[in-house]
Amino acid sequence: MTATAEDPRWLDDGEMRAWRAYVIASELLRKQLNRELQDRHGLALADYEVLVRLSEQDGGQMRMAQLAGEVASSKSRLSHQIGRMETAGLVRRVECGDDARGVFAEITEAGRARLRETAPTHVAGVRAHLVDLLTAGDQTALAEIFERVLDHLGHPEH
Amino acid sequence: MTATAEDPRWLDDGEMRAWRAYVIASELLRKQLNRELQDRHGLALADYEVLVRLSEQDGGQMRMAQLAGEVASSKSRLSHQIGRMETAGLVRRVECGDDARGVFAEITEAGRARLRETAPTHVAGVRAHLVDLLTAGDQTALAEIFERVLDHLGHPEH
């Protein structure tokens, strides 16, 4: 049976319990990780995530449209964010004249240095607030659940 | 052993697999749920979540500071958001003269109507992109993992 907007199948108690715990904890976790990076380094989590994605690419570059998909941002919001990060010297925009699909973002040396300096804070937070709370079974369950979501939403990663 | 910023314990392959799947899928899931509400109803997911939280309170009211915690927003960002929602007639701000802790947000009748009209789209998305992808075991695992995160982060919910 397909759920439609006209005939919703509301969540039952067990489904609601799982969904609410997940959605609220996920938001609190992001907020906490963001606060730790802001307080210790003056860096937003969203900016940290852009630096990570770019640093993993050959040449430290990624097409803006692809980067928007990777960090789940709208193109206009990402464009604003990359503008701020460019002013801070962490990335630069590169236009490729021979490519109609447009503009790339590229991590700078200062951006890579910023990432190296802040990564220990981020990984300590990820451990303290999630990873170190998981049993081995939880860890596998978490990977399998969200790899299924990635497959379903059509993301190429993993 | 405690992880410190000076001596990071980097994630091993299994931990990284779980973390990356979770963090990327979670962002894509939010983006997808937001897009469905925007496309079908012109409502942002963040606004939907505020309406849900307020609708569950006695009198449909919540202190702004508490609401900011519930939706994991900063007070300044929430204040801006509530301003937009007030202009749209979905909430109103109520000042309580006898309470130094300040301002409440309250859902309006139009806000409750908007929630009833949009909830079927949201629940259909939550099912299609997460809940209906879970086995019974996954569902329990998800609830237990994120209730542990909520306990750890000091949230009273559940």
Side-chain angles (χ1 to χ4, degrees):
Chain A
M1 189 171 107
T2 304
T4 68
E6 288 68 36
D7 176 27
R9 287 184 299 131
W10 301 108
L11 301 186
D12 68 29
D13 287 350
E15 291 167 339
M16 182 61 90
R17 176 183 163 217
W19 167 251
R20 288 298 286 259
Y22 159 71
V23 76
I24 298 174
S26 290
E27 292 187 42
L28 289 173
L29 177 58
R30 272 196 83 75
K31 192 180 182 183
Q32 179 67 26
L33 294 173
N34 182 57
R35 188 186 303 126
E36 291 173 357
L37 281 171
Q38 288 280 14
D39 288 355
R40 292 180 206 163
H41 306 282
L43 185 71
L45 177 60
D47 292 355
Y48 179 88
E49 289 173 334
V50 163
L51 294 177
V52 169
R53 294 298 180 283
L54 293 179
S55 74
E56 290 169 350
Q57 301 297 308
D58 287 339
Q61 286 195 340
M62 200 184 287
R63 210 180 295 280
M64 289 287 284
Q66 187 192 349
L67 183 59
E70 293 274 331
V71 297
S73 181
S74 68
K75 284 181 206 170
S76 67
R77 198 172 57 177
L78 179 66
S79 178
H80 183 74
Q81 180 184 356
I82 291 291
R84 281 192 297 93
M85 293 179 72
E86 191 164 28
T87 303
L90 302 175
V91 300
R92 69 173 72 88
R93 265 182 275 218
V94 183
E95 302 216 19
C96 291
D98 60 340
D99 188 336
R101 286 174 300 169
V103 183
F104 287 72
E106 184 181 303
I107 189 169
T108 62
E109 272 313 306
R112 289 188 193 272
R114 195 90 169 100
L115 189 55
R116 281 192 298 272
E117 165 198 319
T118 54
T121 295
H122 182 68
V123 76
V126 167
R127 281 205 171 279
H129 312 310
L130 182 67
V131 168
D132 286 353
L133 304 176
L134 303 177
T135 65
D138 291 337
Q139 190 179 296
T140 304
L142 198 67
E144 288 179 355
I145 289 168
F146 289 101
E147 286 174 356
R148 215 173 307 141
V149 175
L150 286 177
D151 278 339
H152 165 78
L153 292 174
H155 191 273
E157 178 119 358
H158 75 268
Chain B
M1 189 172 106
T2 304
T4 68
E6 287 68 37
D7 177 26
R9 287 184 300 130
W10 302 108
L11 301 187
D12 69 27
D13 288 350
E15 291 166 340
M16 182 60 91
R17 177 184 162 215
W19 168 250
R20 288 297 287 259
Y22 159 71
V23 76
I24 297 174
S26 291
E27 292 186 43
L28 288 175
L29 176 57
R30 273 196 83 75
K31 192 180 183 184
Q32 178 68 25
L33 294 173
N34 182 58
R35 188 185 303 128
E36 291 172 356
L37 281 172
Q38 287 281 15
D39 289 354
R40 292 180 205 163
H41 306 283
L43 185 71
L45 178 59
D47 292 355
Y48 179 88
E49 289 172 335
V50 163
L51 294 177
V52 170
R53 295 296 179 283
L54 293 178
S55 74
E56 290 168 350
Q57 301 297 307
D58 287 340
Q61 285 195 341
M62 199 184 288
R63 209 180 295 282
M64 289 287 284
Q66 187 192 348
L67 182 57
E70 293 274 334
V71 297
S73 183
S74 68
K75 283 181 206 168
S76 67
R77 199 172 55 175
L78 180 66
S79 178
H80 182 75
Q81 180 183 356
I82 292 291
R84 282 192 296 95
M85 293 178 73
E86 192 164 28
T87 304
L90 302 175
V91 301
R92 69 173 70 87
R93 265 182 276 219
V94 184
E95 302 216 20
C96 291
D98 60 340
D99 187 336
R101 286 175 300 169
V103 183
F104 287 71
E106 184 181 302
I107 189 169
T108 62
E109 272 313 307
R112 289 189 194 273
R114 194 89 169 103
L115 189 54
R116 281 193 297 273
E117 165 197 319
T118 54
T121 295
H122 182 68
V123 77
V126 167
R127 281 204 171 281
H129 312 310
L130 182 67
V131 169
D132 286 355
L133 304 177
L134 303 177
T135 65
D138 291 336
Q139 189 178 296
T140 305
L142 197 68
E144 288 179 357
I145 288 168
F146 288 101
E147 285 173 357
R148 216 173 305 141
V149 174
L150 286 176
D151 279 339
H152 165 79
L153 291 174
H155 192 271
E157 177 119 356
H158 74 267

